[in-house]
Amino acid sequence: MFVQTRWRAVVRESQIPRYSLYVVVSEGAGQNVYTGGQVTPEVAVYYGDKTAVTAAKKDKATEETELTAENGKYKLKKLEKDADYMLSYGANLAAGKNKGSVAVSGTGRYGGSVTVKFTIEKKAIY
């Protein structure tokens, strides 16, 4: 006698706690400059233990090799966009400190979400 069992399991590596995430919002190539439209800079998301994430935040580290390399200072795991997380940008239409925001929501093996604010620089007028 053969009995077929049907089941479905959702396996999540972890619910993303805020203290385990380090979100780097790119400030290069004028990505955060006011344009009159929505500002959507590149974002990199790293995951690690609380001590490493806290140290990276304190040092304001932004270099991927420093954050992730086996010999790097922090040894964080870089998460993959669309596979591990999705981004949702705020309106991001006005220049000023903390006027921009991006929400990082875990997908796949990761759950939870965190919102990060960033500065939208005023456009230089010559």
Side-chain angles (χ1 to χ4, degrees):
M1 179 178 191
F2 178 79
V3 178
Q4 184 177 5
T5 305
R6 293 182 182 190
W7 58 278
R8 187 177 87 165
V10 176
V11 178
R12 293 206 169 184
E13 188 172 295
S14 61
Q15 188 75 9
I16 300 176
R18 185 177 305 267
Y19 61 78
S20 292
L21 272 185
Y22 183 53
V23 181
V24 177
V25 177
S26 178
E27 295 180 0
Q31 291 188 56
N32 295 0
V33 176
Y34 172 76
T35 62
Q38 185 184 37
V39 177
T40 57
E42 291 182 24
V43 173
V45 180
Y46 299 90
Y47 179 76
D49 66 53
K50 183 177 182 178
T51 304
V53 170
T54 301
K57 286 179 181 178
K58 180 181 176 190
D59 296 344
K60 298 182 181 179
T62 59
E63 295 297 320
E64 183 174 344
T65 55
E66 182 181 36
L67 291 166
T68 61
E70 196 170 300
N71 295 329
K73 185 174 181 179
Y74 307 102
K75 296 180 178 76
L76 302 176
K77 176 182 178 183
K78 184 175 183 183
L79 301 182
E80 297 295 322
K81 184 178 175 196
D82 298 325
D84 296 325
Y85 67 92
M86 295 179 64
L87 298 175
S88 177
Y89 290 93
N92 302 347
L93 297 172
K97 186 174 182 175
N98 294 327
K99 292 289 186 176
S101 68
V102 59
V104 178
S105 300
T107 61
R109 298 179 305 169
Y110 298 92
S113 65
V114 63
T115 299
V116 177
K117 293 188 179 243
F118 59 92
T119 298
I120 299 175
E121 302 295 334
K122 294 180 180 178
K123 186 172 185 171
I125 300 174
Y126 299 100

